[in-house]
């Protein structure tokens, strides 16, 4: 009995330390949140200065007073110039796009976090609820190995592993160059006291920078050594712990939302959905909202169904089939919120968070479908004109480019 438990415990420890679990789940979370933030920044690009910049109603002095009290990190408080604001906004856009594509994933995850924290902590009232989820997930993604699949980094790693391409690793200096530039900026910010926030934030930035530098050096000069194994173990532990935290965060969001709803009288009598459908701010399609609000049965079913799904979801994780059914129901619910209440980015953020529970088999099939769709789009038949010669040579040929 004790030997069996010891073997199982040893196998569990071996798996947690030797493998970064949930590679497809972490990849879809990475893509989902970076795409959501990127789309939000692009949509608000014409109004960026009013939302987060020097032209907004939440002025520089008020932001300084708030930051002095809560010690939140935001690079936008380093300078009140328009040029600096545009640089930070541009870095946020670029890091979101590169993180979504999985290019220099480790560095981009840190820059993505800096962009999210800088903009959101500068103007805390600009959000619809989804910003809180993005805020948390941007921090968690830094500690994951979210570029193992569905990324440009993963594709490049596969190509480097091919026979005859062993020297390609030595020619890639874009990563070290980026690391060096970020190190210089971090040093200047530390010396000038511009990092802000608490001491642990400065320590975190330096720890991440040093770890990434050591990781590259060991991979470059000692790829099969014990230090490389140790770094893999540390990275796997960090990834697996962060993935568990992401799952727990999603469960906590739904559990607290569901139990708070139960305490509300409007949720208890089944009429809670009626009121947002009658608010102009939440009715992008007034005719559709009126149709739904006019049916007491639909309002009651959706109201009670929302509470039941949110409260029950954390308890369904022990049953895969029930969990998958409720997961689909919640994603459809968020899609309905995006359509009916006009909250697309909140819904995208929650769907991206829900994706951490998607089955690996489904994500593999999804990746296969996407690959085949891309091949169909890129494959263009090229018809070679007929030439004189033998009948075989005169026959038309078709090549796929």
């Amino acid at each position: 009995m004790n030997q069996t438990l010891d073997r199982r415990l040893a196998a569990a420890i071996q798996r947690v330390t030797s493998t970064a679990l949930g590679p497809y789940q972490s990849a879809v979370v990475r893509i989902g949140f970076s795409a959501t933030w990127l789309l939000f920044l692009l949509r608000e690009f014409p109004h960026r200065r009013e939302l987060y910049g020097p032209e907004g109603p939440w002025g520089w002095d008020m932001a300084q007073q708030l930051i002095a009290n809560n010690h939140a990190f935001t690079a936008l408080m380093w300078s009140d110039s328009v040029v600096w604001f545009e640089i930070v906004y541009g870095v946020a856009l670029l890091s979101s796009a590169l993180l979504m594509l999985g290019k220099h994933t480790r560095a981009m995850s840190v820059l993505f976090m800096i962009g999210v924290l800088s903009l959101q902590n500068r103007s805390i009232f600009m959000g619809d609820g989804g910003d809180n989820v993005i805020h948390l997930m941007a921090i968690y993604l830094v500690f994951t190995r979210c570029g193992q699949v569905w990324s440009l980094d993963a594709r490049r790693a596969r190509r480097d592993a091919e026979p005859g391409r062993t020297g390609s690793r030595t020619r890639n200096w874009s990563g070290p160059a980026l690391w060096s530039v970020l190190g210089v900026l971090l040093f200047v910010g530390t010396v000038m006291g511009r990092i802000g926030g608490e001491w642990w934030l400065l320590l975190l930035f330096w720890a991440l920078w040093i770890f990434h530098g050591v990781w590259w050096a060991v991979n470059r000069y000692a790829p099969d050594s014990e230090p490389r194994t140790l770094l893999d173990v540390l990275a796997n532990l960090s990834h697996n712990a962060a993935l568990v935290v992401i799952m727990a965060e999603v469960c906590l969001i739904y559990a607290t939302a569901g139990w708070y709803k139960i305490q509300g009288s409007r949720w208890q009598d089944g009429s809670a959905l009626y009121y947002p459908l009658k608010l102009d701010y939440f009715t992008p399609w007034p005719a559709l909202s009126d149709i739904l609000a006019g049916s007491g049965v639909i309002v009651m079913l959706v109201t009670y169904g929302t509470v039941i799904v949110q409260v029950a979801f954390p308890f369904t994780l022990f049953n895969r089939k029930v969990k998958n059914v409720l997961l689909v129901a919640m994603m459809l619910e968020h899609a309905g919120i995006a359509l009916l209440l006009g909250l697309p980015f909140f819904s995208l953020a929650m769907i991206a968070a829900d994706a951490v529970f998607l089955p690996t088999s489904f994500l593999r099939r999804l990746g296969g479908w996407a690959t085949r769709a891309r091949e169909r789009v890129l494959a263009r038949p090229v018809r070679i004109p007929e030439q004189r010669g033998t009948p075989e040579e005169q026959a038309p040929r078709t090549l796929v480019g």
Side-chain angles (χ1 to χ4, degrees):
M1 181 68 177
N2 292 334
Q3 292 180 353
T4 302
L5 291 176
D6 290 342
R7 285 197 297 269
R8 290 181 178 178
L9 180 61
I13 294 175
Q14 174 67 19
R15 185 182 182 190
V16 170
T17 56
S18 63
T19 307
L21 303 176
Y24 291 94
Q25 286 79 2
S26 59
V28 76
V29 170
R30 181 200 86 229
I31 296 171
F33 279 101
S34 57
T36 300
W37 184 242
L38 176 63
L39 292 174
F40 175 79
L41 294 180
L42 290 175
R43 191 194 71 169
E44 303 298 345
F45 188 81
H47 315 290
R48 62 193 183 283
R49 295 183 183 178
E50 289 80 8
L51 291 177
Y52 302 107
E55 300 176 6
W58 188 251
W60 175 267
D61 294 336
M62 291 187 291
Q64 272 190 326
Q65 294 176 20
L66 179 64
I67 297 300
N69 291 328
N70 62 14
H71 303 286
F73 169 80
T74 170
L76 289 178
M77 298 309 297
W78 297 358
S79 173
D80 60 349
S81 69
V82 177
V83 175
W84 176 246
F85 168 77
E86 297 294 350
I87 291 175
V88 174
Y89 201 92
V91 169
L93 278 170
L94 182 61
S95 61
S96 301
L98 292 178
L99 181 62
M100 180 180 64
L101 297 175
K103 182 66 173 177
H104 297 302
T105 309
R106 294 189 183 93
M108 289 306 115
S109 64
V110 177
L111 291 178
F112 176 74
M113 177 188 69
I114 292 174
V116 170
L117 298 182
S118 296
L119 292 173
Q120 291 187 355
N121 289 337
R122 169 62 176 84
S123 300
I124 61 173
F125 299 108
M126 302 300 173
D128 53 11
D131 57 311
N132 295 326
V133 183
I134 296 175
H135 191 107
L136 294 171
M137 296 302 173
I139 298 175
Y140 301 152
L141 281 175
V142 172
F143 301 96
T144 64
R145 306 182 71 174
C146 53
Q148 297 178 98
V149 297
W150 297 348
S151 68
L152 297 179
D153 289 342
R155 186 176 69 173
R156 187 181 185 282
R158 289 195 301 270
R159 291 181 176 179
D160 289 347
E162 295 175 357
R165 296 181 61 91
T166 56
S168 62
R169 186 183 299 154
T170 63
R171 297 192 295 270
N172 181 27
W173 290 99
S174 59
L178 177 62
W179 179 80
S180 301
V181 171
L182 294 178
V184 171
L185 295 177
L186 181 58
F187 177 77
V188 172
T190 302
V191 172
M192 298 180 63
R194 293 293 188 178
I195 300 299
E198 300 290 349
W199 63 269
W200 62 266
L201 187 61
L202 179 62
L203 182 62
L204 173 63
F205 285 147
W206 276 111
L208 290 172
W209 184 78
I210 293 173
F211 184 82
H212 291 168
V214 172
W215 182 280
W216 178 87
V218 172
N219 278 335
R220 172 68 176 82
Y221 298 105
D224 300 321
S225 62
E226 290 185 1
R228 176 66 171 81
T229 303
L230 176 61
L231 291 177
D232 259 334
V233 170
L234 294 176
N236 291 335
L237 287 174
S238 172
H239 168 90
N240 295 331
L243 202 61
V244 171
V245 171
I246 291 175
M247 293 180 178
E249 188 69 43
V250 176
C251 292
L252 185 63
I253 290 173
Y254 284 120
T256 54
W259 286 107
Y260 271 107
K261 286 182 175 66
I262 289 177
Q263 302 175 38
S265 59
R266 294 294 176 263
W267 291 95
Q268 292 175 5
D269 61 25
S271 63
L273 178 65
Y274 174 84
Y275 298 97
L277 292 176
K278 289 298 182 178
L279 295 176
D280 292 338
Y281 185 79
F282 294 110
T283 53
W285 313 97
L288 181 59
S289 298
D290 290 340
I291 293 175
L292 294 178
S295 174
V297 175
I298 293 179
V299 169
M300 182 187 65
L301 291 177
V302 175
T303 300
Y304 286 151
T306 300
V307 176
I308 293 173
V309 168
Q310 291 182 349
V311 172
F313 178 74
F315 301 100
T316 64
L317 299 181
F318 302 101
N319 189 304
R320 184 177 60 181
K321 293 182 179 180
V322 179
K323 181 263 295 182
N324 291 337
V325 172
L326 288 189
L327 193 60
V328 173
M330 287 193 301
M331 289 185 171
L332 292 176
E333 175 191 349
H334 290 304
I337 291 174
L339 177 65
L340 296 175
L341 302 183
L343 298 173
F345 298 108
F346 167 78
S347 299
L348 285 175
M350 291 307 304
I351 291 174
D354 294 340
V356 73
F357 293 105
L358 288 174
T360 301
S361 58
F362 169 76
L363 292 176
R364 286 177 178 271
R365 288 196 297 270
L366 183 64
W369 296 335
T371 300
R372 288 191 291 271
R374 182 189 63 186
E375 291 175 351
R376 292 193 189 98
V377 171
L378 297 180
R380 298 178 179 179
V382 179
R383 188 180 181 85
I384 299 179
E386 298 181 5
Q387 298 179 355
R388 295 181 179 180
T390 62
E392 292 79 6
E393 296 175 337
Q394 294 178 2
R397 293 176 295 171
T398 301
L399 299 180
V400 178

